[in-house]
Amino acid sequence: MSKKSLVINIVFHNPYIRHIDGDNVSKNSVLFTAISDVYLPILNMFADLEAEGIPFKVNMVISPVLCTMLADPVIQQQYIEWQERIIALGEAETSKYKSDDPRHDLAVNYLEKAKQNLKDFQETLNQDILSKIKYYVNHGNIELMATAATYSFLPHYVDMPEAVQAQIETGMQIHKSFFGIVPEGFWLPYMGYVPNLESIIRPYGFNYSIVDTHSLLFANPLPKAGIFSPVRCNNSLALFACDYEKNEGYKKAGVYRNQEKDEGFEADEEYLKNTLGDINSRFKTGYKYYSNEDSVYDMGLAFAQAEHDAEAFLNEKSDKLKEASVLMDGSDVSLVCSFEGSFFGGSWYEGVEWLNQILRKASWNNDLELATCSELIENQYSLPLISPFPGASLGTGYGECLLDSSNSWMIRYVRKACERMIDLSVRFSDDSGLKARSLNLAAKEVLLAMAGDWPMMLHDGDMPEYAEERFKESVSAFSTVYDSLGSNSISTEWLTRMERNHPLFDIMNYHVFSRRK
């Protein structure tokens, strides 16, 4: 009997947004909301599964930028203060509605959740989310994949291998510093692949990656198993294709919570000021009372629908695997389903419960089994050899939204910065002291300018002014170092201030941009 395997891959990433002065709430709330709505609920769900003895396996990506922010004591304290504001708003919300109003019960539920989140973060996790993830890695429940340092769209730099190597090597070092291991898999940000990327990735010891569906379906030669079995490039880097079909459609059911109608944007400004304090702009608070059908949200109905949809998801994947196995004369088959972390609890409130039900139901499903990618490439060197087709998970499958009329102006600046950083690593190959500090800062700012977050935010219209400002800040900081090294005049005060404001990648070494011999 053939083995039918399902891989659930979850990608956690947040853009590098860190503010320590002035109003930090509205911008930093992007991360704070993710902690409350995504990271803590998923860890609690894992804890429940473990307590009940239910086995589970998932692949997971946690970007180096996110790791650094979650481990930052300043951000941790800011989250505590932010969560206290959310609790204060909850106290006001429970008083705003009468006891017979269904919104009152929802407000009470959200308030209790906010209090529990704060308790879990401070007491249960001791403010250390990454250590709990490492715990599940060590127990075999999570298989981590490494990824680029600042979640850069690597196809834009494939003709500059030193820049790609800097992203990969720094990301790998940061991953190892937090989790103590170098993973077998490397996650391509936005699943961006173009020919020759594998020749840069494979030498770092990575055994597999995941690409967009059509990167395999348009490959040369066409894999006989399609997306139902891994293949390998000419250097034996194994590749899995991601199965997208209907994975995003489940969250659209009418009974699910409307994630757009939030009291942080709906309530009176004076009311919010009295409860949240003196803030300069609105942000999501988690107090949402309506479903996608614009009726008052019924949590019981929504969670029942999530269980139903989880079963439908498993049945659909099981049927697809069965059919593929028959067509392949009984061979082992597999599917990889990848999700953005925000899918669970962020863009889809019931997503965590949906995932919970999938992991539970899969544990007693005889038609398929949960697996991790590394378990499916035990015979790596006997996998079919192919040349993948270029692809990405964005736009129409080629990542064109990262280089369109809204953001294309960025690429010439960041590529020139990359060229100059590569040149600096050659010219100053053995420096120390103030020069080395400046070069490390320059390398870090180039990596930040390469982040795919900024062009994506401009394309989506999501805080575009901030994205533009943050990108220009990184390019400007690099240019300051470049000019200072040329004139042999470096401002210690400016350098120290920049290091303090952006304590990212404290193991940064500018030699990662060096040309390989």
Side-chain angles (χ1 to χ4, degrees):
M1 185 176 179
S2 69
K3 182 185 293 186
K4 303 170 186 65
S5 304
L6 177 66
V7 177
I8 302 292
N9 184 59
I10 308 173
V11 183
F12 292 123
H13 170 67
N14 281 79
Y16 184 66
I17 300 176
R18 181 184 188 271
H19 292 266
I20 59 176
D21 300 317
D23 173 34
N24 58 63
V25 174
S26 59
K27 295 182 176 67
N28 289 1
S29 66
V30 174
L31 174 61
F32 300 157
T33 300
I35 292 174
S36 292
D37 293 349
V38 182
Y39 309 142
L40 293 179
I42 285 181
L43 287 178
N44 285 335
M45 182 259 288
F46 286 167
D48 290 341
L49 292 171
E50 181 186 35
E52 297 176 39
I54 298 175
F56 65 95
K57 293 179 182 178
V58 294
N59 258 58
M60 190 175 287
V61 182
I62 307 175
S63 73
V65 165
L66 178 58
C67 287
T68 303
M69 291 193 295
L70 290 177
D72 189 330
V74 173
I75 289 180
Q76 291 171 354
Q77 183 58 40
Q78 287 178 339
Y79 172 73
I80 291 171
E81 295 170 358
W82 180 84
Q83 194 66 10
E84 288 172 345
R85 294 191 188 197
I86 298 301
I87 291 171
L89 175 61
E91 301 283 2
E93 288 290 292
T94 56
S95 301
K96 187 167 71 174
Y97 299 108
K98 296 180 179 180
S99 58
D100 59 348
D101 190 324
R103 290 173 295 183
H104 176 269
D105 291 342
L106 286 171
V108 170
N109 181 282
Y110 298 152
L111 174 59
E112 291 305 312
K113 178 187 174 184
K115 290 179 178 179
Q116 188 63 46
N117 278 340
L118 185 58
K119 182 179 179 181
D120 289 340
F121 185 74
Q122 286 187 292
E123 301 177 18
T124 306
L125 299 177
N126 195 28
Q127 302 177 196
D128 190 354
I129 289 175
L130 296 178
S131 287
K132 192 62 175 178
I133 293 173
K134 186 177 179 180
Y135 168 86
Y136 289 115
V137 172
N138 293 338
H139 282 71
N141 303 113
I142 294 175
E143 176 170 296
L144 288 176
M145 297 178 69
T147 190
T150 59
Y151 217 70
S152 172
F153 189 66
L154 300 182
H156 286 171
Y157 308 96
V158 71
D159 62 322
M160 308 170 71
E162 296 85 0
V164 177
Q165 289 163 355
Q167 283 283 347
I168 295 173
E169 190 167 327
T170 304
M172 183 178 69
Q173 291 172 350
I174 295 300
H175 185 100
K176 187 175 181 180
S177 71
F178 283 111
F179 300 108
I181 58 171
V182 175
E184 285 199 48
F186 181 82
W187 173 255
L188 294 164
Y190 311 106
M191 288 190 219
Y193 172 82
V194 289
N196 205 42
L197 262 182
E198 67 273 14
S199 66
I200 306 175
I201 296 170
R202 181 67 167 145
Y204 287 98
F206 296 115
N207 287 323
Y208 72 86
S209 188
I210 301 172
V211 294
D212 185 79
T213 304
H214 71 260
S215 288
L216 287 199
L217 294 184
F218 296 159
N220 183 26
L222 177 66
K224 291 182 179 180
I227 66 171
F228 294 99
S229 180
V231 294
R232 63 188 173 107
C233 301
N234 58 3
N235 63 0
S236 290
L237 178 73
L239 293 178
F240 294 84
C242 182
D243 176 44
Y244 286 116
E245 187 178 356
K246 297 182 181 178
N247 291 348
E248 293 284 329
Y250 292 104
K251 65 182 181 181
K252 297 179 181 179
V255 297
Y256 288 145
R257 195 175 78 169
N258 187 325
Q259 291 295 83
E260 301 303 317
K261 288 190 175 182
D262 188 292
E263 285 300 284
F265 296 95
E266 302 287 328
D268 179 75
E269 189 171 338
E270 191 64 27
Y271 168 76
L272 292 175
K273 184 177 181 180
N274 291 335
T275 53
L276 294 174
D278 191 11
I279 58 174
N280 296 327
S281 59
R282 293 174 178 265
F283 57 89
K284 293 180 179 179
T285 64
Y287 291 90
K288 310 172 197 279
Y289 301 109
Y290 296 95
S291 70
N292 289 332
E293 299 171 327
D294 280 335
S295 58
V296 176
Y297 176 61
D298 188 320
M299 191 175 296
L301 284 177
F303 276 45
Q305 181 68 39
E307 181 176 0
H308 171 79
D309 285 342
E311 188 166 354
F313 174 86
L314 283 176
N315 288 338
E316 175 198 336
K317 301 307 176 187
S318 178
D319 291 344
K320 185 182 287 189
L321 287 167
K322 286 179 185 177
E323 186 175 354
S325 181
V326 170
L327 293 173
M328 293 167 59
D329 299 323
S331 300
D332 291 347
V333 290
S334 61
L335 273 178
V336 175
C337 297
S338 188
F339 303 89
E340 295 296 326
S342 59
F343 184 72
F344 304 109
S347 61
W348 185 17
Y349 180 66
E350 298 80 9
V352 176
E353 177 60 18
W354 182 77
L355 178 61
N356 177 39
Q357 292 298 329
I358 284 176
L359 298 179
R360 289 175 180 273
K361 293 178 185 298
S363 67
W364 63 71
N365 190 310
N366 296 322
D367 296 325
L368 58 77
E369 63 178 34
L370 293 180
T372 58
C373 287
S374 63
E375 294 174 336
L376 302 177
I377 56 169
E378 293 178 352
N379 300 317
Q380 180 174 353
Y381 296 98
S382 64
L383 295 174
L385 190 65
I386 57 104
S387 297
F389 195 75
S393 61
L394 298 175
T396 60
Y398 301 97
E400 62 271 26
C401 54
L402 291 172
L403 193 63
D404 63 12
S405 59
S406 68
N407 52 40
S408 59
W409 60 270
M410 291 177 158
I411 195 68
R412 63 181 181 272
Y413 292 103
V414 68
R415 284 180 60 88
K416 176 57 70 174
C418 287
E419 290 174 7
R420 289 179 169 178
M421 189 64 234
I422 295 166
D423 179 59
L424 287 177
S425 69
V426 174
R427 288 167 51 198
F428 300 91
S429 59
D430 190 26
D431 277 271
S432 59
L434 197 60
K435 280 188 177 179
R437 283 174 57 192
S438 300
L439 288 162
N440 287 338
L441 175 69
K444 179 171 63 177
E445 295 297 340
V446 172
L447 291 177
L448 281 171
M450 293 173 71
D453 304 300
W454 318 132
M456 197 69 222
M457 290 166 72
L458 285 179
H459 172 81
D460 292 343
D462 181 14
M463 297 198 300
E465 296 84 2
Y466 175 81
E468 181 175 339
E469 175 188 344
R470 186 63 195 82
F471 174 81
K472 289 180 177 179
E473 183 181 345
S474 284
V475 173
S476 176
F478 168 77
S479 298
T480 298
V481 173
Y482 186 79
D483 293 341
S484 297
L485 290 171
S487 61
N488 199 27
S489 175
I490 301 172
S491 169
T492 306
E493 180 183 356
W494 175 85
L495 178 61
T496 303
R497 184 175 70 252
M498 291 298 294
E499 291 171 332
R500 179 181 66 86
N501 289 343
H502 299 144
L504 181 72
F505 305 159
D506 56 0
I507 62 172
M508 187 75 231
N509 187 325
Y510 70 93
H511 291 105
V512 294
F513 278 93
S514 298
R515 293 189 177 95
R516 305 303 195 261
K517 295 182 180 179

